[in-house]
Amino acid sequence: MPDKPKVAFYWCASCGGCEEAVVDLAEDILTVVGAVDIVLWPVAMDFKKADIEARPDKSIVAAFINGAVRTSEQEEWVRMLRKKSQVVVSFGACANSGGIPALANQSRKEDILKYVYEDCPGVDNPDKTRPRIKCEDEGHTLTLPELRSMVRSLDQVIDVDYYLPGCPPTPKLIMAAVQALLSGKLPPKGTVLSPDIALCEECKRKDSKPADLALTEFKRPHQIQIDPEKCLLAQGIVCMGPATRGGCEALCPGGNMACTGCFGPTSRVKDQGAKFVSSVFSNIAPKEEKDIDAVLDGIPDPIGTFYRYGLSKCLLRRKLN
Amino acid sequence: MSEKFEPKIVAFFCNWCTYTAADLAGVSRLKYAPNVRVIRVMCSGRVDPQFVLDAFARGADGVLLGGCHPGDCHYAEGNYKTLRRMRMLERMLKAMGIYDGRFRLEWISGAEGDKVRSVVNDMTEKVRALGPLNLPGKFTEWDKEIEELEAHVNGGSKKEATVHAR
Amino acid sequence: MDKTAQKVWNQAHQQANSGRRTVTIDPITRLEGHGKIEIFLNDQGNVDRAYLQIPELRGFEVFSQGRPAEDMPQITSRICGVCPTAHHMAAAKALDDLYGVKCHPVGRKIRELVYNAFMLEDHALHVYVLGGPDFIVGPDAPKEMRNIVGVIGKVGLDVGKRVISMRRRIREIINYAGGKVIHPVMGLPGGVAKGISASELPKFKEIAKDGLEFAKFTLQVFHDIVLRNDAYVKLITSDTFTHKTYYMGLVDKNNKVNFYDGDVRVVTPEGKEYAKFPIQKYLEHISEHVEPWSYIKFPFLKKVGWNGFVEGGSSGVYAVAPMARLNAADGMATPEAQKAYEEYFKVLGGKPVHHTLANHWARVVEMLQAAERIVELVNDPELTGKEFRTIPTKTPKIGVGVVEAPRGTLIHQYETDENGLIRRANLIVATLNNSARIAMSVDKAAKGLIKGGKVDDGLLNMVEMAFRAYDPCFGCATHTLPGEMPMIVTLRDMKGGVIREIRR
């Protein structure tokens, strides 16, 4: 009997939601486990780095890697997995474009450390102690890893073959990807394994989206009772749908909240935030600067709104400071 | 080493007004700073904010956008769309640390050859004062920290890959 | 290298190589997030000191600055994808407080329903997948069996499938009300974004009924497998896994356990009420200590003070999570859970219980309360009310929210400008509260278990059990730069030389 194909899962800077999404395959997970040999899955299985190192190059059929890349440890791991795997799938928003952790690319590392260990309410630290790369405690030498200056997407560190979008990807998409890989029917390299359409296309509210939004005001979701049927943009709520790839079947609008863009852009878009600005803000109502600005004031945090999951992939990559 | 910094400014000019004005400036032999690289677009409304970010990412120190005066757009509303987007784009740029002066939107009609000259000269001086933006250089600089490791992983060096570089 | 160390090294080397060719499910990774244990041996090969280090830091408090407060329930849920609902809910409650708006009563019931559903499925995850295998399969069972597969082997495939399908069905409730189950979107100041349609109720009632049966069944499993086994009971009550510390948990107005709301109550190591306060006063009671050898901070009771990693009434170290919650309350809020609660304390010798491993049992007691609350809520006619949110009208300034996450008390505090943009945020996450006690537990377990340089996988697993009982979420606890590592255990000799390093 030929060996079952070998598959690896690995996580970098992530929340564990992508792992949970795999667990959420629920009964289907038994099918997956029956069809492949999982050779690495830190959340659930034993592995040693040496085990992977000892494998011949390209002996793993596919490595699914989630999480953004922030430390050298993660960089070493993903490079090794690249070498050992035929296919690398960037799994979820953090791996694809930095995800929410990449919002840290608007801050300097020093500012983060200072706030957390000195300025945060409740910290009792008169000596301004900081975690150190190397320190002595009761005669014992202890070390900690160093953090990189910025949060990177997986493909900024290694070559990636496919992308599974979402925060996290839905079990449906995960199953589809696994099946495609197992059947050997592989799409062209670089494909995002989700429909290449805007989210609006699969949103139940689509029919109420006006051709010309002509907005006179943006509202924040806590300020109004949100109509559960009507297009959110038409209600003046920022919804990333027009600049976001479909595939989740509009879960958040189904929860009566706006899309926040976790699936990233479609293939025709280079920069999700800039594209959103292009598509939505052209169509607000006012024509005078002052009036335009008043409308824009309704969106107090453009970066956190338009690049909620994608700051690593913003063309500018990080805040310059 | 200390060569005089010459800013690179990418200018998107609309076909019907600003590009015509730049043409006029040329025909009229009005001299202006040679720092702009003009890209002709059919309408300022054709300029996607992605173009602006891309220009910066590829090494522009400044981006200038020129269109018809409000009310004069060849396509009726194109320049209003531009104005709205660019007001938001400016806010985004600021939040990403690219401050006033590196990006500019101007309305210049086909007859205002002189305005092309004054705007280009003024912007060139202001960007010169701001100094180089040099994003490609910064990208290289930022990625040094991971390239060192790449060399380690692929070079088979025995030296321990330490990560201690505060 | 001295002789003992050499011996340990040889053993370890052999063991590492013998295990290499097998793909097994590893115990130490049965937790969320990552940690690193450093064990220093002395000349006799005994443990001089064991450190639990957290080698990562994210930046949520910092990169929250400037963001609209109403985005916080969705941003902070990304601290942890296993317990996103806890962060989401703590954030929503902080928003209520921030905007000075009382949660709409229907919205509150929806939140509570979702929250208890989450509590039930998350505890089930730990019982069957993460922590439980230590007992169900056995602490020193072969490591390839100490996992969900081993659990299924022991309890049968039907039970395994039942666990999987039950968890999926409970999560459907969260999915419906929250839009997404992993990173829900429902929380807004004054209520929730979406109501519950009456047409869904029959299905929810079915899930609730089965959920309660499932919780009772889980208690039975615990009885049959753990409590009937004297060796396990002895292990649970052994000194190696015992610390006398303060305990903290939320209680309702009758001092009963409440996961969603209430005052924070702290009891002394003797079980007497030490403090009871609304969450807005938490800074009067909790401070955070910093050590240079870990990215995690160590909260302590401010008025008692930080006296190092020691137990007893004069040390500000306290514990949260199921065992602590049961200690800090006078009882459970629902009848079946109350029965289980009484039995728990009776068997374990009265209140308070100091045995870290008792967390597993306390967790099952809590599953009952969560399941009973779900039944109450789905049968509440108000649940399907057409209005479920109160629009805030006040100017925001500062707000604090608290819930009992499965892993303990979780506090979010936001300060904003008048436009509701975050100026300062502070997050005291469940596992963080436990960080000092967990560090002590690892140290004590290592000292109690590793003697004369003798180390094997079973012993190490028992060291791991000392932290696994807390169901720690180091992903959460280090919400502060991204960057995670696999769990690493390093054994060091006197001079700090590495005897053995285990990476998982």
Side-chain angles (χ1 to χ4, degrees):
Chain A
M1 197 178 110
D3 281 352
K4 287 194 279 186
K6 294 183 172 39
V7 170
F9 289 94
Y10 190 69
W11 54 1
C12 294
S14 65
C15 69
C18 287
E19 322 290 322
E20 267 281 2
V22 175
V23 175
D24 275 348
L25 290 174
E27 289 88 340
D28 282 345
I29 201 162
L30 301 171
T31 319
V32 175
V33 171
V36 300
D37 257 349
I38 300 176
V39 297
L40 170 69
W41 195 13
V43 78
M45 305 186 90
D46 188 11
F47 71 92
K48 290 192 175 71
K49 201 171 178 177
D51 290 328
I52 301 297
E53 271 167 346
R55 290 191 170 279
D57 287 0
K58 308 277 172 214
S59 64
I60 297 171
V61 169
F64 294 84
I65 304 178
N66 71 67
V69 185
R70 180 78 197 222
T71 70
S72 69
E73 165 98 29
Q74 294 157 354
E75 289 163 15
E76 285 195 53
W77 261 104
V78 299
R79 284 179 172 136
M80 182 173 67
L81 286 169
R82 175 69 272 182
K83 250 168 91 173
K84 304 296 177 187
S85 311
Q86 294 163 26
V87 167
V88 167
V89 181
S90 174
F91 191 105
C94 294
N96 289 357
S97 53
I100 282 194
L103 290 175
N105 285 355
Q106 262 188 301
S107 313
R108 294 183 313 142
K109 188 168 96 178
E110 165 60 23
D111 297 339
I112 294 174
L113 293 169
K114 184 167 183 300
Y115 183 81
V116 171
Y117 297 108
E118 293 172 27
D119 303 341
C120 203
V123 169
D124 179 18
N125 188 11
D127 303 332
K128 298 193 192 307
T129 302
R130 293 259 188 103
R132 292 206 302 270
I133 301 309
K134 196 170 181 184
C135 77
E136 295 284 324
D137 185 76
E138 296 174 9
H140 306 305
T141 304
L142 293 137
T143 59
L144 286 170
E146 171 72 9
L147 304 151
R148 295 304 201 198
S149 64
M150 63 194 289
V151 179
R152 290 182 170 85
S153 63
L154 184 62
D155 64 4
Q156 286 170 345
V157 181
I158 58 165
D159 193 36
V160 163
D161 297 290
Y162 302 110
Y163 300 83
L164 257 174
C167 182
T170 60
K172 238 184 186 173
L173 288 178
I174 298 170
M175 266 318 267
V178 170
Q179 276 159 356
L181 283 165
L182 291 177
S183 69
K185 289 181 189 130
L186 295 170
K189 186 176 163 163
T191 300
V192 178
L193 305 173
S194 191
D196 199 9
I197 49 168
L199 181 82
C200 297
E201 290 299 313
E202 56 187 25
C203 181
K204 288 199 181 75
R205 303 168 188 246
K206 183 185 167 193
D207 292 343
S208 55
K209 186 181 174 191
D212 185 4
L213 286 168
L215 290 169
T216 53
E217 191 184 7
F218 280 102
K219 294 172 192 119
R220 289 159 63 184
H222 64 290
Q223 295 168 330
I224 58 163
Q225 296 288 6
I226 303 168
D227 184 323
E229 314 279 334
K230 195 173 159 192
C231 169
L232 289 145
L233 274 168
Q235 299 181 57
I237 291 175
V238 180
C239 179
M240 290 292 288
T244 301
R245 181 185 287 263
C248 69
E249 297 167 45
L251 289 174
C252 296
N256 206 23
M257 289 288 278
C259 167
T260 51
C262 75
F263 267 55
T266 60
S267 64
R268 297 165 297 281
V269 174
K270 253 186 144 171
D271 186 296
Q272 188 181 13
K275 188 70 216 174
F276 184 77
V277 171
S278 179
S279 69
V280 169
F281 292 93
S282 311
N283 293 317
I284 57 176
K287 294 184 166 181
E288 299 295 323
E289 282 187 16
K290 181 168 65 62
D291 303 332
I292 293 171
D293 286 350
V295 175
L296 300 187
D297 285 343
I299 302 168
D301 173 25
I303 300 299
T305 309
F306 309 147
Y307 295 99
R308 176 77 60 84
Y309 308 88
L311 202 49
S312 290
K313 280 297 187 63
C314 168
L315 286 167
L316 304 175
R317 290 190 58 187
R318 66 159 301 150
K319 185 172 178 183
L320 306 164
N321 46 21
Chain B
M1 195 57 203
S2 61
E3 258 175 54
K4 198 180 161 212
F5 163 58
E6 282 300 338
K8 284 195 283 287
I9 296 171
V10 172
F12 296 96
F13 286 168
C14 100
N15 179 59
W16 305 100
C17 290
T18 315
Y19 193 84
T20 309
D23 228 13
L24 177 65
V27 174
S28 318
R29 306 200 168 236
L30 298 173
K31 267 186 115 168
Y32 58 84
N35 301 60
V36 286
R37 276 70 165 163
V38 179
I39 296 170
R40 175 158 62 161
V41 288
M42 288 310 285
C43 175
S44 62
R46 175 67 186 90
V47 180
D48 188 314
Q50 291 184 102
F51 299 178
V52 179
L53 298 190
D54 210 19
F56 282 125
R58 288 165 188 254
D61 300 297
V63 177
L64 172 63
L65 178 50
C68 307
H69 285 272
D72 292 346
C73 178
H74 189 80
Y75 307 99
E77 293 272 314
N79 51 3
Y80 288 115
K81 293 185 193 295
T82 306
L83 177 64
R84 294 167 188 143
R85 285 174 190 156
M86 297 305 160
R87 294 305 285 179
M88 184 43 107
L89 180 68
E90 281 180 354
R91 292 175 182 221
M92 284 167 53
L93 289 172
K94 202 178 261 181
M96 292 299 281
I98 295 181
Y99 296 104
D100 295 347
R102 291 203 188 269
F103 173 72
R104 190 155 162 178
L105 171 64
E106 289 286 346
W107 306 136
I108 302 173
S109 79
E112 295 176 307
D114 193 51
K115 192 170 176 187
V116 170
R117 178 178 65 169
S118 61
V119 164
V120 167
N121 285 346
D122 182 62
M123 184 161 177
T124 304
E125 282 324 300
K126 282 185 174 143
V127 173
R128 196 192 305 281
L130 287 169
L133 183 64
N134 188 19
L135 278 182
K138 288 194 170 76
F139 294 161
T140 311
E141 184 66 26
W142 295 340
D143 283 344
K144 265 192 189 145
E145 60 180 5
I146 60 170
E147 270 155 23
E148 280 161 17
L149 187 73
E150 174 84 49
H152 160 75
V153 171
N154 293 333
S157 153
K158 287 266 159 49
K159 203 172 144 238
E160 199 182 338
T162 42
V163 257
H164 310 157
R166 177 158 318 156
Chain C
M1 203 184 276
D2 69 37
K3 276 198 178 124
T4 323
Q6 184 70 54
K7 208 173 127 202
V8 172
W9 169 257
N10 288 342
Q11 279 174 355
H13 191 70
Q14 237 175 359
Q15 199 172 32
N17 283 302
S18 68
R20 274 174 88 147
R21 276 170 293 278
T22 353
V23 177
T24 52
I25 298 181
D26 184 272
I28 203 159
T29 50
R30 287 180 274 125
L31 81 164
E32 301 90 6
H34 310 273
K36 178 182 172 195
I37 294 176
E38 292 270 355
I39 301 172
F40 290 88
L41 303 184
N42 61 20
D43 280 342
Q44 287 74 47
N46 297 331
V47 174
D48 191 40
R49 173 88 189 258
Y51 292 86
L52 174 68
Q53 290 180 277
I54 306 301
E56 57 162 332
L57 176 78
R58 290 185 278 175
F60 278 86
E61 283 129 330
V62 183
F63 65 66
S64 298
Q65 288 166 14
R67 316 261 174 238
E70 70 274 13
D71 287 349
M72 292 301 274
Q74 291 192 40
I75 290 177
T76 58
S77 79
R78 269 72 181 191
I79 289 170
C80 177
V82 178
C83 52
T85 316
H87 287 284
H88 191 78
M89 218 56 95
K93 289 184 69 189
L95 292 182
D96 294 345
D97 193 36
L98 177 72
Y99 279 98
V101 58
K102 198 163 181 271
C103 184
H104 190 286
V106 175
R108 183 186 158 113
K109 281 175 184 162
I110 296 172
R111 284 189 193 176
E112 278 200 69
L113 172 66
V114 166
Y115 202 67
N116 280 284
F118 158 66
M119 205 72 176
L120 180 57
E121 59 91 1
D122 193 278
H123 270 2
L125 178 74
H126 194 267
V127 167
Y128 289 98
V129 182
L130 301 171
D134 287 329
F135 293 97
I136 298 174
V137 189
D140 45 9
K143 63 179 172 184
E144 57 273 17
M145 293 310 294
R146 285 191 316 256
N147 52 50
I148 179 68
V149 174
V151 169
I152 291 174
K154 189 101 175 186
V155 297
L157 184 61
D158 287 347
V159 175
K161 281 189 174 161
R162 184 173 173 188
V163 173
I164 289 171
S165 96
M166 199 61 236
R167 252 194 111 230
R168 175 178 54 70
R169 290 174 63 210
I170 299 166
R171 281 164 78 86
E172 278 172 20
I173 297 180
I174 309 175
N175 217 354
Y176 175 84
K180 292 163 77 185
V181 62
I182 301 170
H183 306 313
V185 298
M186 63 192 283
L188 282 170
V192 294
K194 182 184 172 187
I196 289 181
S197 151
S199 62
E200 296 293 322
L201 272 190
K203 183 174 151 196
F204 285 2
K205 283 181 181 170
E206 197 66 24
I207 296 174
K209 190 171 80 62
D210 295 349
L212 181 54
E213 280 313 307
F214 175 67
K216 286 181 184 165
F217 164 78
T218 304
L219 185 65
Q220 193 56 47
V221 169
F222 193 83
H223 263 269
D224 293 348
I225 291 174
V226 181
L227 298 179
R228 285 217 190 123
N229 185 329
D230 283 347
Y232 287 171
V233 176
K234 218 176 264 172
L235 184 72
I236 290 172
T237 53
S238 70
D239 185 56
T240 299
F241 292 103
T242 300
H243 283 296
K244 296 186 169 68
T245 60
Y246 288 84
Y247 299 99
M248 180 185 284
L250 280 183
V251 292
D252 66 15
K253 56 183 190 304
N254 302 317
N255 284 339
K256 300 291 167 68
V257 168
N258 194 315
F259 305 130
Y260 173 78
D261 205 11
D263 280 344
V264 177
R265 193 180 195 214
V266 182
V267 298
T268 64
E270 290 74 40
K272 301 230 159 40
E273 180 175 298
Y274 170 76
K276 190 175 165 186
F277 55 91
I279 196 58
Q280 284 72 13
K281 293 196 186 301
Y282 82 99
L283 284 174
E284 291 173 21
H285 296 275
I286 301 172
S287 284
E288 293 174 277
H289 171 78
V290 181
E291 287 283 339
W293 47 266
S294 188
Y295 280 116
I296 207 171
K297 294 185 280 191
F298 299 95
F300 60 94
L301 295 171
K302 194 174 180 177
K303 290 174 183 166
V304 185
W306 176 259
N307 289 311
F309 295 89
V310 288
E311 53 188 279
S314 58
S315 165
V317 173
Y318 62 94
V320 297
M323 177 184 78
R325 275 195 287 261
L326 266 52
N327 281 340
D330 290 346
M332 306 305 285
T334 57
E336 291 290 334
Q338 177 64 23
K339 266 198 285 182
Y341 169 97
E342 284 163 16
E343 188 200 14
Y344 164 91
F345 281 110
K346 204 173 125 206
V347 172
L348 293 175
K351 280 182 87 171
V353 167
H354 300 292
H355 311 304
T356 305
L357 297 179
N359 268 302
H360 295 289
W361 190 352
R363 196 167 286 124
V364 182
V365 175
E366 291 192 335
M367 280 174 72
L368 280 167
Q369 174 162 328
E372 287 179 283
R373 276 299 285 152
I374 296 170
V375 173
E376 285 172 23
L377 286 160
V378 295
N379 286 294
D380 186 325
E382 257 196 56
L383 185 70
T384 50
K386 291 278 170 270
E387 290 195 2
F388 35 79
R389 186 151 72 89
T390 309
I391 303 277
T393 52
K394 291 185 190 146
T395 306
K397 193 166 177 208
I398 183 163
V400 191
V402 65
V403 292
E404 282 295 333
R407 294 149 193 92
T409 315
L410 166 61
I411 305 166
H412 282 209
Q413 180 196 326
Y414 313 138
E415 276 175 61
T416 69
D417 64 12
E418 65 285 353
N419 197 20
L421 302 186
I422 302 285
R423 272 198 184 128
R424 294 214 298 176
N426 191 28
L427 310 168
I428 296 190
V429 174
T431 297
L432 193 63
N433 286 303
N434 266 337
S435 61
R437 198 177 191 274
I438 296 176
M440 287 159 58
S441 296
V442 167
D443 184 46
K444 191 167 184 178
K447 282 174 177 159
L449 294 162
I450 300 173
K451 302 277 187 199
K454 189 182 169 305
V455 181
D456 61 35
D457 180 73
L459 284 178
L460 277 179
N461 182 47
M462 283 163 75
V463 175
E464 293 151 24
M465 282 167 67
F467 68 74
R468 196 176 295 129
Y470 296 91
D471 187 10
C473 183
F474 296 130
C476 269
T478 54
H479 53 280
T480 25
L481 300 175
E484 299 189 15
M485 291 182 68
M487 190 79 192
I488 299 174
V489 181
T490 312
L491 276 168
R492 291 182 188 275
D493 61 22
M494 270 298 275
K495 297 187 182 70
V498 178
I499 300 170
R500 179 181 177 190
E501 184 172 278
I502 304 160
R503 285 162 176 262
R504 315 204 184 201

